[in-house]
Amino acid sequence: MLHKFFEEGYWFAPKRFGYGAGMPIAWQGWVLLIAFAALLIGLANVPDLDPFLRWTGFVIATAVLIIIAKKRTRGQWRWRWGSED
């Protein structure tokens, strides 16, 4: 099952307005977003975790999400004004 997660293809659509990725268009994108949210919730609810470690975890998780989303977005990340590509 794990090999299906790494199949070629796009996981996110580009935003219609603005810069970056929009909503997921494949189940892998949804899994990535749910895992990201679960990780952030988990980090926020760990008792007695040093605040520096908590924020470091948030930053690293967000950076990984951005890198994967940029690589797996259909088309390039660029500014869009709402016109169809």
PDB file of all heavy atoms in Angstrom, residues 6-33:
ATOM      1  N   PHE A   6       3.678   6.824  -3.245  1.00  0.00           N
ATOM      2  CA  PHE A   6       4.786   7.455  -3.947  1.00  0.00           C
ATOM      3  C   PHE A   6       4.658   7.379  -5.466  1.00  0.00           C
ATOM      4  O   PHE A   6       5.632   7.614  -6.170  1.00  0.00           O
ATOM      5  CB  PHE A   6       6.108   6.841  -3.488  1.00  0.00           C
ATOM      6  CG  PHE A   6       6.389   7.110  -2.039  1.00  0.00           C
ATOM      7  CD1 PHE A   6       6.239   6.105  -1.099  1.00  0.00           C
ATOM      8  CD2 PHE A   6       6.760   8.368  -1.619  1.00  0.00           C
ATOM      9  CE1 PHE A   6       6.485   6.347   0.242  1.00  0.00           C
ATOM     10  CE2 PHE A   6       7.010   8.625  -0.280  1.00  0.00           C
ATOM     11  CZ  PHE A   6       6.864   7.606   0.648  1.00  0.00           C
ATOM     12  N   GLU A   7       3.481   7.070  -5.979  1.00  0.00           N
ATOM     13  CA  GLU A   7       3.273   7.052  -7.427  1.00  0.00           C
ATOM     14  C   GLU A   7       3.402   8.459  -7.990  1.00  0.00           C
ATOM     15  O   GLU A   7       3.140   9.446  -7.303  1.00  0.00           O
ATOM     16  CB  GLU A   7       1.881   6.503  -7.756  1.00  0.00           C
ATOM     17  CG  GLU A   7       1.725   5.031  -7.516  1.00  0.00           C
ATOM     18  CD  GLU A   7       0.313   4.540  -7.819  1.00  0.00           C
ATOM     19  OE1 GLU A   7      -0.596   5.385  -7.998  1.00  0.00           O
ATOM     20  OE2 GLU A   7       0.136   3.328  -7.870  1.00  0.00           O
ATOM     21  N   GLU A   8       3.784   8.529  -9.259  1.00  0.00           N
ATOM     22  CA  GLU A   8       3.889   9.822  -9.929  1.00  0.00           C
ATOM     23  C   GLU A   8       2.505  10.440 -10.069  1.00  0.00           C
ATOM     24  O   GLU A   8       1.508   9.739 -10.178  1.00  0.00           O
ATOM     25  CB  GLU A   8       4.522   9.651 -11.313  1.00  0.00           C
ATOM     26  CG  GLU A   8       5.983   9.289 -11.264  1.00  0.00           C
ATOM     27  CD  GLU A   8       6.840  10.367 -10.628  1.00  0.00           C
ATOM     28  OE1 GLU A   8       6.619  11.563 -10.902  1.00  0.00           O
ATOM     29  OE2 GLU A   8       7.719  10.007  -9.829  1.00  0.00           O
ATOM     30  N   GLY A   9       2.464  11.739 -10.100  1.00  0.00           N
ATOM     31  CA  GLY A   9       1.208  12.439 -10.292  1.00  0.00           C
ATOM     32  C   GLY A   9       1.119  13.649  -9.375  1.00  0.00           C
ATOM     33  O   GLY A   9       1.960  13.862  -8.504  1.00  0.00           O
ATOM     34  N   TYR A  10       0.102  14.430  -9.604  1.00  0.00           N
ATOM     35  CA  TYR A  10      -0.094  15.648  -8.831  1.00  0.00           C
ATOM     36  C   TYR A  10      -1.066  15.394  -7.694  1.00  0.00           C
ATOM     37  O   TYR A  10      -2.049  14.676  -7.848  1.00  0.00           O
ATOM     38  CB  TYR A  10      -0.613  16.766  -9.734  1.00  0.00           C
ATOM     39  CG  TYR A  10       0.355  17.118 -10.825  1.00  0.00           C
ATOM     40  CD1 TYR A  10       0.029  16.939 -12.158  1.00  0.00           C
ATOM     41  CD2 TYR A  10       1.610  17.608 -10.518  1.00  0.00           C
ATOM     42  CE1 TYR A  10       0.929  17.257 -13.159  1.00  0.00           C
ATOM     43  CE2 TYR A  10       2.518  17.921 -11.504  1.00  0.00           C
ATOM     44  CZ  TYR A  10       2.170  17.752 -12.823  1.00  0.00           C
ATOM     45  OH  TYR A  10       3.067  18.064 -13.796  1.00  0.00           O
ATOM     46  N   TRP A  11      -0.770  16.000  -6.557  1.00  0.00           N
ATOM     47  CA  TRP A  11      -1.621  15.846  -5.382  1.00  0.00           C
ATOM     48  C   TRP A  11      -2.434  17.101  -5.105  1.00  0.00           C
ATOM     49  O   TRP A  11      -3.448  17.035  -4.417  1.00  0.00           O
ATOM     50  CB  TRP A  11      -0.778  15.536  -4.155  1.00  0.00           C
ATOM     51  CG  TRP A  11      -0.011  14.261  -4.212  1.00  0.00           C
ATOM     52  CD1 TRP A  11      -0.036  13.313  -5.202  1.00  0.00           C
ATOM     53  CD2 TRP A  11       0.916  13.789  -3.243  1.00  0.00           C
ATOM     54  NE1 TRP A  11       0.816  12.293  -4.890  1.00  0.00           N
ATOM     55  CE2 TRP A  11       1.417  12.550  -3.699  1.00  0.00           C
ATOM     56  CE3 TRP A  11       1.377  14.285  -2.036  1.00  0.00           C
ATOM     57  CZ2 TRP A  11       2.341  11.813  -2.980  1.00  0.00           C
ATOM     58  CZ3 TRP A  11       2.294  13.542  -1.331  1.00  0.00           C
ATOM     59  CH2 TRP A  11       2.769  12.325  -1.793  1.00  0.00           C
ATOM     60  N   PHE A  12      -1.980  18.249  -5.608  1.00  0.00           N
ATOM     61  CA  PHE A  12      -2.637  19.521  -5.325  1.00  0.00           C
ATOM     62  C   PHE A  12      -2.883  20.286  -6.622  1.00  0.00           C
ATOM     63  O   PHE A  12      -2.103  20.187  -7.564  1.00  0.00           O
ATOM     64  CB  PHE A  12      -1.765  20.393  -4.404  1.00  0.00           C
ATOM     65  CG  PHE A  12      -1.528  19.790  -3.054  1.00  0.00           C
ATOM     66  CD1 PHE A  12      -0.405  19.020  -2.816  1.00  0.00           C
ATOM     67  CD2 PHE A  12      -2.423  19.978  -2.031  1.00  0.00           C
ATOM     68  CE1 PHE A  12      -0.178  18.451  -1.583  1.00  0.00           C
ATOM     69  CE2 PHE A  12      -2.211  19.413  -0.787  1.00  0.00           C
ATOM     70  CZ  PHE A  12      -1.084  18.644  -0.561  1.00  0.00           C
ATOM     71  N   ALA A  13      -3.952  21.046  -6.634  1.00  0.00           N
ATOM     72  CA  ALA A  13      -4.225  21.961  -7.739  1.00  0.00           C
ATOM     73  C   ALA A  13      -3.617  23.316  -7.386  1.00  0.00           C
ATOM     74  O   ALA A  13      -3.509  23.660  -6.207  1.00  0.00           O
ATOM     75  CB  ALA A  13      -5.733  22.111  -7.939  1.00  0.00           C
ATOM     76  N   PRO A  14      -3.215  24.081  -8.379  1.00  0.00           N
ATOM     77  CA  PRO A  14      -2.719  25.421  -8.064  1.00  0.00           C
ATOM     78  C   PRO A  14      -3.868  26.313  -7.614  1.00  0.00           C
ATOM     79  O   PRO A  14      -5.024  26.091  -7.968  1.00  0.00           O
ATOM     80  CB  PRO A  14      -2.128  25.907  -9.388  1.00  0.00           C
ATOM     81  CG  PRO A  14      -2.814  25.109 -10.430  1.00  0.00           C
ATOM     82  CD  PRO A  14      -3.155  23.796  -9.806  1.00  0.00           C
ATOM     83  N   LYS A  15      -3.530  27.312  -6.804  1.00  0.00           N
ATOM     84  CA  LYS A  15      -4.560  28.253  -6.381  1.00  0.00           C
ATOM     85  C   LYS A  15      -5.047  29.037  -7.588  1.00  0.00           C
ATOM     86  O   LYS A  15      -4.282  29.330  -8.502  1.00  0.00           O
ATOM     87  CB  LYS A  15      -3.992  29.224  -5.345  1.00  0.00           C
ATOM     88  CG  LYS A  15      -3.717  28.568  -4.018  1.00  0.00           C
ATOM     89  CD  LYS A  15      -3.078  29.531  -3.064  1.00  0.00           C
ATOM     90  CE  LYS A  15      -4.129  30.492  -2.556  1.00  0.00           C
ATOM     91  NZ  LYS A  15      -3.614  31.350  -1.482  1.00  0.00           N
ATOM     92  N   ARG A  16      -6.311  29.367  -7.599  1.00  0.00           N
ATOM     93  CA  ARG A  16      -6.851  30.146  -8.713  1.00  0.00           C
ATOM     94  C   ARG A  16      -6.460  31.617  -8.581  1.00  0.00           C
ATOM     95  O   ARG A  16      -6.192  32.295  -9.571  1.00  0.00           O
ATOM     96  CB  ARG A  16      -8.364  30.006  -8.755  1.00  0.00           C
ATOM     97  CG  ARG A  16      -8.948  30.648  -9.969  1.00  0.00           C
ATOM     98  CD  ARG A  16     -10.362  30.226 -10.184  1.00  0.00           C
ATOM     99  NE  ARG A  16     -10.860  30.897 -11.373  1.00  0.00           N
ATOM    100  CZ  ARG A  16     -12.106  30.900 -11.738  1.00  0.00           C
ATOM    101  NH1 ARG A  16     -12.991  30.241 -11.031  1.00  0.00           N
ATOM    102  NH2 ARG A  16     -12.473  31.524 -12.814  1.00  0.00           N
ATOM    103  N   PHE A  17      -6.454  32.114  -7.368  1.00  0.00           N
ATOM    104  CA  PHE A  17      -6.032  33.485  -7.084  1.00  0.00           C
ATOM    105  C   PHE A  17      -4.871  33.423  -6.108  1.00  0.00           C
ATOM    106  O   PHE A  17      -4.941  32.752  -5.082  1.00  0.00           O
ATOM    107  CB  PHE A  17      -7.166  34.302  -6.451  1.00  0.00           C
ATOM    108  CG  PHE A  17      -8.311  34.558  -7.371  1.00  0.00           C
ATOM    109  CD1 PHE A  17      -9.408  33.715  -7.370  1.00  0.00           C
ATOM    110  CD2 PHE A  17      -8.299  35.626  -8.231  1.00  0.00           C
ATOM    111  CE1 PHE A  17     -10.476  33.938  -8.212  1.00  0.00           C
ATOM    112  CE2 PHE A  17      -9.354  35.863  -9.086  1.00  0.00           C
ATOM    113  CZ  PHE A  17     -10.446  35.017  -9.079  1.00  0.00           C
ATOM    114  N   GLY A  18      -3.793  34.135  -6.392  1.00  0.00           N
ATOM    115  CA  GLY A  18      -2.667  34.182  -5.479  1.00  0.00           C
ATOM    116  C   GLY A  18      -1.558  33.223  -5.864  1.00  0.00           C
ATOM    117  O   GLY A  18      -1.441  32.790  -6.996  1.00  0.00           O
ATOM    118  N   TYR A  19      -0.740  32.899  -4.863  1.00  0.00           N
ATOM    119  CA  TYR A  19       0.474  32.122  -5.064  1.00  0.00           C
ATOM    120  C   TYR A  19       0.401  30.842  -4.249  1.00  0.00           C
ATOM    121  O   TYR A  19      -0.004  30.852  -3.097  1.00  0.00           O
ATOM    122  CB  TYR A  19       1.676  32.954  -4.608  1.00  0.00           C
ATOM    123  CG  TYR A  19       3.008  32.310  -4.832  1.00  0.00           C
ATOM    124  CD1 TYR A  19       3.621  32.347  -6.066  1.00  0.00           C
ATOM    125  CD2 TYR A  19       3.665  31.667  -3.793  1.00  0.00           C
ATOM    126  CE1 TYR A  19       4.857  31.760  -6.283  1.00  0.00           C
ATOM    127  CE2 TYR A  19       4.903  31.078  -3.995  1.00  0.00           C
ATOM    128  CZ  TYR A  19       5.490  31.131  -5.234  1.00  0.00           C
ATOM    129  OH  TYR A  19       6.709  30.539  -5.444  1.00  0.00           O
ATOM    130  N   GLY A  20       0.782  29.728  -4.820  1.00  0.00           N
ATOM    131  CA  GLY A  20       0.896  28.504  -4.056  1.00  0.00           C
ATOM    132  C   GLY A  20      -0.070  27.422  -4.485  1.00  0.00           C
ATOM    133  O   GLY A  20      -0.652  27.457  -5.561  1.00  0.00           O
ATOM    134  N   ALA A  21      -0.219  26.446  -3.588  1.00  0.00           N
ATOM    135  CA  ALA A  21      -1.075  25.289  -3.846  1.00  0.00           C
ATOM    136  C   ALA A  21      -2.460  25.530  -3.273  1.00  0.00           C
ATOM    137  O   ALA A  21      -2.620  26.183  -2.252  1.00  0.00           O
ATOM    138  CB  ALA A  21      -0.468  24.039  -3.226  1.00  0.00           C
ATOM    139  N   GLY A  22      -3.434  24.946  -3.945  1.00  0.00           N
ATOM    140  CA  GLY A  22      -4.810  25.020  -3.472  1.00  0.00           C
ATOM    141  C   GLY A  22      -5.197  23.733  -2.768  1.00  0.00           C
ATOM    142  O   GLY A  22      -4.411  23.119  -2.064  1.00  0.00           O
ATOM    143  N   MET A  23      -6.395  23.289  -3.017  1.00  0.00           N
ATOM    144  CA  MET A  23      -6.917  22.093  -2.367  1.00  0.00           C
ATOM    145  C   MET A  23      -6.325  20.827  -2.988  1.00  0.00           C
ATOM    146  O   MET A  23      -5.940  20.821  -4.146  1.00  0.00           O
ATOM    147  CB  MET A  23      -8.444  22.058  -2.504  1.00  0.00           C
ATOM    148  CG  MET A  23      -9.145  23.172  -1.764  1.00  0.00           C
ATOM    149  SD  MET A  23      -8.861  23.107  -0.008  1.00  0.00           S
ATOM    150  CE  MET A  23      -9.764  21.636   0.421  1.00  0.00           C
ATOM    151  N   PRO A  24      -6.283  19.752  -2.204  1.00  0.00           N
ATOM    152  CA  PRO A  24      -5.809  18.471  -2.745  1.00  0.00           C
ATOM    153  C   PRO A  24      -6.733  17.955  -3.850  1.00  0.00           C
ATOM    154  O   PRO A  24      -7.948  18.138  -3.793  1.00  0.00           O
ATOM    155  CB  PRO A  24      -5.855  17.537  -1.545  1.00  0.00           C
ATOM    156  CG  PRO A  24      -5.840  18.413  -0.358  1.00  0.00           C
ATOM    157  CD  PRO A  24      -6.527  19.670  -0.761  1.00  0.00           C
ATOM    158  N   ILE A  25      -6.127  17.298  -4.833  1.00  0.00           N
ATOM    159  CA  ILE A  25      -6.905  16.703  -5.920  1.00  0.00           C
ATOM    160  C   ILE A  25      -6.710  15.198  -5.972  1.00  0.00           C
ATOM    161  O   ILE A  25      -7.262  14.532  -6.838  1.00  0.00           O
ATOM    162  CB  ILE A  25      -6.537  17.332  -7.284  1.00  0.00           C
ATOM    163  CG1 ILE A  25      -5.052  17.204  -7.579  1.00  0.00           C
ATOM    164  CG2 ILE A  25      -6.986  18.779  -7.337  1.00  0.00           C
ATOM    165  CD1 ILE A  25      -4.640  17.651  -8.968  1.00  0.00           C
ATOM    166  N   ALA A  26      -5.916  14.658  -5.046  1.00  0.00           N
ATOM    167  CA  ALA A  26      -5.673  13.219  -4.972  1.00  0.00           C
ATOM    168  C   ALA A  26      -5.715  12.790  -3.509  1.00  0.00           C
ATOM    169  O   ALA A  26      -5.511  13.610  -2.603  1.00  0.00           O
ATOM    170  CB  ALA A  26      -4.321  12.865  -5.579  1.00  0.00           C
ATOM    171  N   TRP A  27      -5.942  11.514  -3.296  1.00  0.00           N
ATOM    172  CA  TRP A  27      -6.043  11.035  -1.920  1.00  0.00           C
ATOM    173  C   TRP A  27      -4.719  11.224  -1.170  1.00  0.00           C
ATOM    174  O   TRP A  27      -4.724  11.434   0.046  1.00  0.00           O
ATOM    175  CB  TRP A  27      -6.496   9.577  -1.889  1.00  0.00           C
ATOM    176  CG  TRP A  27      -5.519   8.596  -2.476  1.00  0.00           C
ATOM    177  CD1 TRP A  27      -5.453   8.166  -3.767  1.00  0.00           C
ATOM    178  CD2 TRP A  27      -4.459   7.929  -1.785  1.00  0.00           C
ATOM    179  NE1 TRP A  27      -4.417   7.274  -3.922  1.00  0.00           N
ATOM    180  CE2 TRP A  27      -3.794   7.111  -2.711  1.00  0.00           C
ATOM    181  CE3 TRP A  27      -4.013   7.950  -0.469  1.00  0.00           C
ATOM    182  CZ2 TRP A  27      -2.702   6.332  -2.366  1.00  0.00           C
ATOM    183  CZ3 TRP A  27      -2.926   7.164  -0.128  1.00  0.00           C
ATOM    184  CH2 TRP A  27      -2.290   6.361  -1.072  1.00  0.00           C
ATOM    185  N   GLN A  28      -3.592  11.205  -1.869  1.00  0.00           N
ATOM    186  CA  GLN A  28      -2.311  11.404  -1.213  1.00  0.00           C
ATOM    187  C   GLN A  28      -2.203  12.806  -0.603  1.00  0.00           C
ATOM    188  O   GLN A  28      -1.629  12.983   0.473  1.00  0.00           O
ATOM    189  CB  GLN A  28      -1.152  11.195  -2.195  1.00  0.00           C
ATOM    190  CG  GLN A  28      -1.006   9.784  -2.676  1.00  0.00           C
ATOM    191  CD  GLN A  28      -1.659   9.546  -4.031  1.00  0.00           C
ATOM    192  OE1 GLN A  28      -2.632  10.190  -4.374  1.00  0.00           O
ATOM    193  NE2 GLN A  28      -1.118   8.609  -4.794  1.00  0.00           N
ATOM    194  N   GLY A  29      -2.762  13.795  -1.296  1.00  0.00           N
ATOM    195  CA  GLY A  29      -2.768  15.153  -0.763  1.00  0.00           C
ATOM    196  C   GLY A  29      -3.596  15.264   0.498  1.00  0.00           C
ATOM    197  O   GLY A  29      -3.213  15.934   1.461  1.00  0.00           O
ATOM    198  N   TRP A  30      -4.744  14.584   0.509  1.00  0.00           N
ATOM    199  CA  TRP A  30      -5.587  14.592   1.709  1.00  0.00           C
ATOM    200  C   TRP A  30      -4.888  13.894   2.869  1.00  0.00           C
ATOM    201  O   TRP A  30      -4.936  14.364   4.011  1.00  0.00           O
ATOM    202  CB  TRP A  30      -6.934  13.947   1.425  1.00  0.00           C
ATOM    203  CG  TRP A  30      -7.821  14.823   0.600  1.00  0.00           C
ATOM    204  CD1 TRP A  30      -8.152  14.650  -0.702  1.00  0.00           C
ATOM    205  CD2 TRP A  30      -8.461  16.036   1.015  1.00  0.00           C
ATOM    206  NE1 TRP A  30      -8.964  15.682  -1.121  1.00  0.00           N
ATOM    207  CE2 TRP A  30      -9.173  16.539  -0.091  1.00  0.00           C
ATOM    208  CE3 TRP A  30      -8.497  16.739   2.211  1.00  0.00           C
ATOM    209  CZ2 TRP A  30      -9.916  17.712  -0.021  1.00  0.00           C
ATOM    210  CZ3 TRP A  30      -9.241  17.916   2.271  1.00  0.00           C
ATOM    211  CH2 TRP A  30      -9.933  18.389   1.160  1.00  0.00           C
ATOM    212  N   VAL A  31      -4.227  12.783   2.592  1.00  0.00           N
ATOM    213  CA  VAL A  31      -3.491  12.074   3.644  1.00  0.00           C
ATOM    214  C   VAL A  31      -2.387  12.964   4.203  1.00  0.00           C
ATOM    215  O   VAL A  31      -2.178  13.027   5.427  1.00  0.00           O
ATOM    216  CB  VAL A  31      -2.920  10.738   3.114  1.00  0.00           C
ATOM    217  CG1 VAL A  31      -1.937  10.123   4.094  1.00  0.00           C
ATOM    218  CG2 VAL A  31      -4.042   9.766   2.801  1.00  0.00           C
ATOM    219  N   LEU A  32      -1.682  13.659   3.329  1.00  0.00           N
ATOM    220  CA  LEU A  32      -0.618  14.554   3.769  1.00  0.00           C
ATOM    221  C   LEU A  32      -1.170  15.657   4.673  1.00  0.00           C
ATOM    222  O   LEU A  32      -0.606  15.944   5.735  1.00  0.00           O
ATOM    223  CB  LEU A  32       0.092  15.162   2.560  1.00  0.00           C
ATOM    224  CG  LEU A  32       1.238  16.112   2.871  1.00  0.00           C
ATOM    225  CD1 LEU A  32       2.397  15.372   3.521  1.00  0.00           C
ATOM    226  CD2 LEU A  32       1.699  16.811   1.609  1.00  0.00           C
ATOM    227  N   LEU A  33      -2.281  16.278   4.278  1.00  0.00           N
ATOM    228  CA  LEU A  33      -2.862  17.347   5.095  1.00  0.00           C
ATOM    229  C   LEU A  33      -3.375  16.838   6.434  1.00  0.00           C
ATOM    230  O   LEU A  33      -3.200  17.491   7.467  1.00  0.00           O
ATOM    231  CB  LEU A  33      -3.999  18.035   4.336  1.00  0.00           C
ATOM    232  CG  LEU A  33      -3.577  19.014   3.256  1.00  0.00           C
ATOM    233  CD1 LEU A  33      -4.807  19.651   2.622  1.00  0.00           C
ATOM    234  CD2 LEU A  33      -2.677  20.090   3.816  1.00  0.00           C
TER     235      LEU A  33
END
